[in-house]
């Protein structure tokens, strides 16, 4: 562990329960229980979509794990979430597709307006349906989170445990939590968000070894500050969109760097978001900490700038915000960066810990889930739990994900400029895109997002749909249940049998 963690733990050693004292002594002496004396396990720091989805896949593989969530309870935060053909086959594999459909509605198009609600253009989504066989779905972020969480064993989810630091050696990895408890495992997955503690610790180690690239030493300033929420129990007489069996996504390009949108979802709810683009000076001075990620911070300074602007569904955005309970609102700084270093030793990063994207392309949570399935596939192929084997698995995960994430970051930037940009050049590009180019141009752009559809290699593949070609999978034929059990037992059951 880093020196500060060692000193802090040593000072409070006497207050720890006796069962932790022995573990603490071993950790402070940079040692760890020998392999035969403990159960093999994966430690997951963070409780976002990527972490939950990885945990769900590990349960299907019967690989032991602990997931550490820093809060006392799951926070129902965020606004609307788009689900496309990239990840919908995964829900079919897991047998929860019908549950996902029950909390979602199809999204045929995204409408763009100016600040006076004059329509600027339409981005069609039905092109995906024909080529992939999947409709674009939209749901509340909090509803999908709770759905995935309900599939997990509560014994493996440890609440109120924020991982502060870690130490690893030839035998495994040990994490230190904010309450001074420590846990041992074989692999550590850092899925703890944009201000990742795991990434911070990993990069400190790599800096000492002079192995950290210059690009990863540079801090990414926030580009936007955003407030999002979900208004519930609304009247369909006031908001007629609630009567429709599909989603209306209506985004408004405001003035002075401002923008907002509203999205209707099932059960008489409307997801909304407000955002302000930060100028370089403000972004440079913004104090972005762990508490700046999606949380219950004071949202009113942002909300007051939008109270009187028109809501695309009628009334004002202020009325929609006031109809939202406080625990359903959240504020966050939005930044964008794809890190070059995703793993070192027995530790690997996932989701926002290694890549952050603007939310308007709906690629953030999608790529977290895709990270999880590719990492699970790589872990499934482990031959043993040696550092050499684990490093090979991490390299395989990185090789499959990094190029695609880079391309998605570029796509995310293009969508952000199209939907939020307010410079003369960006306004001209938006006008040309929606008025001069044929709609087939937009359709091709959207269709390109449906080509990448990896699935879990250790479960039966979801049936191919649509008129487009079937996406290539690493293993076209699924493994038998016997082969999956044999592989898992040979790697993860060995220590338990000793």
């Amino acid at each position: 562990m880093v020196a500060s963690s060692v000193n802090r733990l040593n000072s409070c050693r006497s207050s720890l329960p006796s069962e932790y004292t022995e573990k603490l002594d071993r950790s402070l002496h940079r040692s760890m229980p020998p392999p035969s004396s403990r159960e093999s396990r994966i430690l997951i720091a963070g409780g976002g979509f990527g972490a939950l989805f990885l945990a769900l896949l590990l349960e299907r593989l019967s690989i032991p794990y602990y997931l550490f969530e820093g809060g006392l309870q799951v926070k129902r935060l965020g606004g609307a979430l788009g689900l496309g053909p990239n990840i919908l086959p995964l829900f079919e594999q897991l047998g929860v597709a019908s549950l996902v459909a029950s909390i979602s509605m199809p999204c045929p198009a995204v409408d763009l307006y100016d600040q006076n609600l004059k329509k600027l253009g339409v981005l069609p989504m039905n092109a995906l349906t024909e080529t992939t066989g999947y409709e674009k779905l939209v749901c509340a972020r909090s509803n999908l989170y709770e759905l995935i969480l309900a599939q997990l064993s509560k014994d493996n989810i440890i609440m109120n445990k924020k991982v502060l630091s870690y130490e690893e050696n030839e035998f495994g990895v040990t994490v230190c939590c904010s309450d001074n408890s420590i846990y041992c495992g074989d692999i550590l997955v850092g899925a703890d968000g944009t201000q990742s503690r795991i990434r911070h610790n990993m990069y400190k180690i790599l800096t000492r070894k002079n192995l950290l690239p210059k690009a990863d030493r540079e801090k990414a300033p926030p580009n936007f500050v955003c407030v999002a929420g979900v208004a519930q129990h609304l009247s369909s007489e006031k908001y007629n969109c609630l009567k429709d069996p599909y989603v209306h996504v209506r985004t408004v390009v405001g003035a002075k760097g401002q923008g907002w949108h509203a999205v209707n979802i099932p059960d008489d709810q409307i997801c909304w978001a407000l955002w302000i683009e930060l100028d370089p000076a403000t972004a440079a001075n913004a104090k972005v900490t762990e508490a700046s990620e999606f949380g219950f911070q004071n949202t009113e300074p942002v909300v007051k700038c939008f109270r009187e602007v028109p809501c695309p569904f009628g009334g004002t955005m202020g009325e929609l915000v006031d109809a939202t309970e406080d625990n359903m609102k959240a504020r966050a700084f939005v930044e964008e960066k794809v890190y070059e270093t995703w793993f070192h030793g027995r530790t690997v990063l996932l989701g926002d810990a290694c890549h952050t994207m603007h939310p308007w392309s709906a690629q953030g949570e999608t790529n977290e889930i895709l990270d999880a399935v590719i990492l699970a596939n790589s872990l499934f192929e482990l031959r043993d739990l040696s550092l050499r084997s684990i490093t090979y698995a991490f390299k395989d995960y990185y090789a499959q994900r990094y190029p695609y994430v880079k391309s998605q970051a570029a796509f995310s930037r293009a969508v952000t400029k199209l939907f939020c940009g307010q410079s003369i050049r960006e306004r001209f590009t938006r006008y040309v895109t929606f008025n001069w180019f044929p709609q087939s141009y937009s359709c091709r752009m959207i269709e390109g997002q449906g080509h990448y559809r990896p699935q879990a290699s250790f479960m039966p593949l979801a049936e191919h749909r649509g008129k487009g070609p079937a996406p290539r999978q690493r293993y076209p034929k699924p493994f038998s249940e016997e082969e999956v059990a044999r592989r898992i037992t040979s790697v993860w059951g060995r220590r338990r049998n000793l």
Side-chain angles (χ1 to χ4, degrees), residues 38-42 64 186 385 491-496:
R38 62 178 175 83
E39 182 181 52
S40 304
R41 191 176 299 276
I42 291 178
D186 298 276
L385 293 175
V491 176
W492 298 95
R494 184 176 300 167
R495 289 184 178 174
R496 293 192 296 276

Side-chain angles (χ1 to χ4, degrees), residues 234-268:
L234 299 174
S235 169
S236 59
E237 297 303 319
K238 180 175 181 179
Y239 299 105
N240 291 327
C241 62
L242 299 176
K243 300 177 182 179
D244 294 331
Y246 54 88
V247 167
H248 299 270
V249 179
R250 296 179 177 175
T251 301
V252 179
V253 182
K256 299 181 180 180
Q258 297 179 358
W260 60 96
H261 78 201
V263 184
N264 62 300
I265 59 172
D267 300 324
D268 294 331

Side-chain angles (χ1 to χ4, degrees), residues 313-358:
F313 295 141
T316 65
M317 291 303 294
E319 293 172 349
L320 204 56
V321 172
D322 291 340
T324 306
E325 297 179 7
D326 288 341
N327 66 344
M328 298 297 289
K329 303 174 187 175
R331 188 192 70 176
F333 285 101
V334 179
E335 61 188 53
E336 182 188 56
K337 184 177 179 68
V338 178
Y339 293 90
E340 295 182 7
T341 307
W342 289 22
F343 66 91
H344 177 69
R346 293 176 174 271
T347 305
V348 64
L349 304 177
L350 181 150
D352 286 349
C354 52
H355 53 75
T356 58
M357 301 182 194
H358 294 153

Side-chain angles (χ1 to χ4, degrees), residues 65 67 114 183 187 190 262 312 316 318 391 436 478:
Y65 72 91
L67 187 150
D114 67 11
Y183 293 82
I187 291 172
T316 65
T391 300
W436 292 3

Side-chain angles (χ1 to χ4, degrees), residues 257-420:
Q258 297 179 358
W260 60 96
H261 78 201
V263 184
N264 62 300
I265 59 172
D267 300 324
D268 294 331
Q269 302 178 89
I270 293 180
C271 298
W272 54 267
L274 319 168
W275 58 86
I276 302 174
E277 186 173 6
L278 303 176
D279 60 73
T282 304
N285 295 324
K287 296 181 179 180
V288 182
T289 64
E290 288 178 88
S292 301
E293 297 186 73
F294 262 108
F296 290 106
Q297 300 88 357
N298 180 19
T299 59
E300 189 56 32
V302 175
V303 169
K304 70 179 182 180
C305 301
F306 295 87
R307 285 205 164 272
E308 301 305 321
V309 301
C311 172
F313 295 141
T316 65
M317 291 303 294
E319 293 172 349
L320 204 56
V321 172
D322 291 340
T324 306
E325 297 179 7
D326 288 341
N327 66 344
M328 298 297 289
K329 303 174 187 175
R331 188 192 70 176
F333 285 101
V334 179
E335 61 188 53
E336 182 188 56
K337 184 177 179 68
V338 178
Y339 293 90
E340 295 182 7
T341 307
W342 289 22
F343 66 91
H344 177 69
R346 293 176 174 271
T347 305
V348 64
L349 304 177
L350 181 150
D352 286 349
C354 52
H355 53 75
T356 58
M357 301 182 194
H358 294 153
W360 296 277
S361 64
Q363 292 300 313
E365 285 81 2
T366 293
N367 277 281
E368 282 193 46
I369 292 173
L370 292 173
D371 283 352
V373 70
I374 296 299
L375 180 57
N377 286 346
S378 298
L379 296 176
F380 169 64
E381 296 176 23
L382 282 172
R383 295 181 179 274
D384 53 52
L385 293 175
S386 65
L387 181 58
R388 179 179 180 180
S389 182
I390 289 172
T391 300
Y392 182 85
F394 289 169
K395 286 182 177 179
D396 178 57
Y397 159 66
Y398 181 82
Q400 292 187 65
R401 289 295 297 145
Y402 182 77
Y404 181 78
V405 166
K406 287 286 287 185
S407 69
Q408 289 303 287
F411 175 75
S412 176
R413 284 193 296 273
V415 172
T416 300
K417 290 180 180 180
L418 187 64
F419 279 78
C420 304

Side-chain angles (χ1 to χ4, degrees), residues 70-81:
L72 285 170
Q73 60 183 0
V74 175
K75 298 176 182 178
R76 304 175 63 195
L77 302 177
L81 177 63

